[in-house]
Amino acid sequence: MSTRFKGFALLAILVSAAGVMPVFASPATLNYTGTTNSTLGNTNPSASSITVTTDKPSYNDGDKITISGSTKDYISNTPVTVIVRNPIGNVIKVDQVDLGTDRTFSTTLSPGGPLWQAAGTYSVMVEFGSKDRSATTTFQFTGSSSNQGKTVKVDGTDFSVTYSITNGKVLGIKADVQSKSLIVSIQTTGDGVLTITLARGLIDAKSDNQTDDKFFVLTDGQEADFQETNTASTDRTLSIPFSDGTSEIEIIGTWIVPEFGSIAALVLVIAIISIIAVSAKTGLRFMPKY
């Protein structure tokens, strides 16, 4: 009896072993199980195949923004898509950037316009070939007051001028009566163009027979090329290119409004008349009586 029981027990062990062996011994099953575990452990295996960054964490109005990164893959004739969104999620810039043979990319933006007016956190998303190859970064921006059609008062006069500028901002404009010129102080973020509309009552350039003559323009003391893009009976518009680093643009004419503008002169005349009237009425004398 004892011998028969031992035989049945041995048979049961052999049968169980025969049923289990194919499950653990099959090389195909081992390979499949390993691959599945690897995929489950990394739900987005291409997440790190592209990187993106900005050259600074925050920017002010007028600054340039450089976006750059790299990829692990190289796909011929496939650009990197760069999408910039403002703090409320609106897409404000879409750019297609060529990938270099060294698998790096770079693009530079000049923020400005109504979509850049909000201050806050802006996001940059890059995509290369497919949504699986994407990355995101953020930067802070102080907001933009659009430079298109801005108006600034000319120091020393009662006049204002309208201007637009690319890759820079105007810090101030003053009249130089002695040299019959306007001096425009600027701060640049790159090569750009200043377009400025000058009222003829502020400054003008005339020849001896009173026909329009060309202005003379200097950038940081050096003669500069420019274009007169519009000429009207009341004003003239100049388009003046400048290089990065320029700090001063001087526009020279043949006539400029006197240091005391029309309103200031009128106030001075009224003041003199008032003094004379008061003196006559009260007997106030400004000169000693002999």
Side-chain angles (χ1 to χ4, degrees):
M1 186 70 177
S2 175
T3 302
R4 181 180 296 179
F5 177 77
K6 289 180 179 179
F8 278 116
L10 179 60
L11 179 62
I13 292 172
L14 291 174
V15 171
S16 299
V20 172
M21 286 294 289
V23 175
F24 291 96
S26 170
T29 304
L30 285 171
N31 290 340
Y32 178 78
T33 303
T35 303
T36 303
N37 288 340
S38 174
T39 303
L40 291 174
N42 184 2
T43 57
N44 189 359
S46 299
S48 61
S49 64
I50 186 169
T51 63
V52 62
T53 186
T54 55
D55 59 324
K56 294 193 299 183
S58 61
Y59 302 87
N60 298 316
D61 188 14
D63 289 348
K64 277 188 172 182
I65 301 172
T66 299
I67 300 169
S68 59
S70 63
T71 68
K72 288 185 176 179
D73 305 318
Y74 182 82
I75 305 174
S76 180
N77 299 321
T78 301
V80 176
T81 301
V82 179
I83 301 174
V84 182
R85 288 182 170 87
N86 64 13
I88 61 175
N90 291 334
V91 175
I92 57 177
K93 181 69 176 178
V94 177
D95 204 359
Q96 297 285 317
V97 184
D98 290 333
L99 185 68
T101 55
D102 59 351
R103 301 179 184 179
T104 64
F105 63 91
S106 180
T107 184
T108 300
L109 310 179
S110 297
L115 293 179
W116 289 86
Q117 288 182 356
T121 302
Y122 286 67
S123 67
V124 181
M125 192 275 284
V126 295
E127 184 178 302
F128 181 56
S130 67
K131 291 184 178 179
D132 290 336
R133 297 184 186 89
S134 63
T136 304
T137 190
T138 60
F139 62 87
Q140 299 295 317
F141 183 59
T142 58
S144 172
S145 55
S146 175
N147 279 336
Q148 301 299 315
K150 288 192 71 173
T151 300
V152 61
K153 189 176 184 301
V154 179
D155 290 345
T157 75
D158 300 316
F159 287 87
S160 296
V161 298
T162 301
Y163 72 90
S164 64
I165 189 171
T166 60
N167 289 340
K169 57 184 175 181
V170 172
L171 304 178
I173 303 178
K174 64 180 180 180
D176 187 328
V177 177
Q178 185 174 359
S179 62
K180 299 175 182 172
S181 67
L182 292 181
I183 299 175
V184 185
S185 298
I186 64 174
Q187 184 180 65
T188 68
T189 57
D191 296 347
V193 177
L194 171 68
T195 302
I196 186 168
T197 299
L198 308 172
R200 290 181 184 270
L202 169 64
I203 187 172
D204 209 349
K206 294 284 189 182
S207 61
D208 291 338
N209 59 3
Q210 293 304 301
T211 58
D212 284 347
D213 200 355
K214 283 192 65 174
F215 288 96
F216 190 71
V217 175
L218 303 175
T219 56
D220 284 343
Q222 300 296 316
E223 184 177 357
D225 293 328
F226 69 96
Q227 289 184 331
E228 184 164 343
T229 58
N230 186 61
T231 305
S233 59
T234 57
D235 54 55
R236 301 170 68 173
T237 301
L238 309 183
S239 180
I240 307 169
F242 57 82
S243 58
D244 190 15
T246 300
S247 61
E248 184 179 280
I249 296 175
E250 184 172 9
I251 304 168
I252 304 171
T254 60
W255 179 89
I256 193 169
V257 67
E259 186 174 358
F260 291 102
S262 56
I263 295 177
L266 180 60
V267 171
L268 181 61
V269 171
I270 293 174
I272 294 174
I273 293 174
S274 299
I275 292 173
I276 294 174
V278 170
S279 299
K281 187 174 181 179
T282 61
L284 179 65
R285 296 180 181 276
F286 294 97
M287 296 295 291
K289 184 178 180 181
Y290 296 101

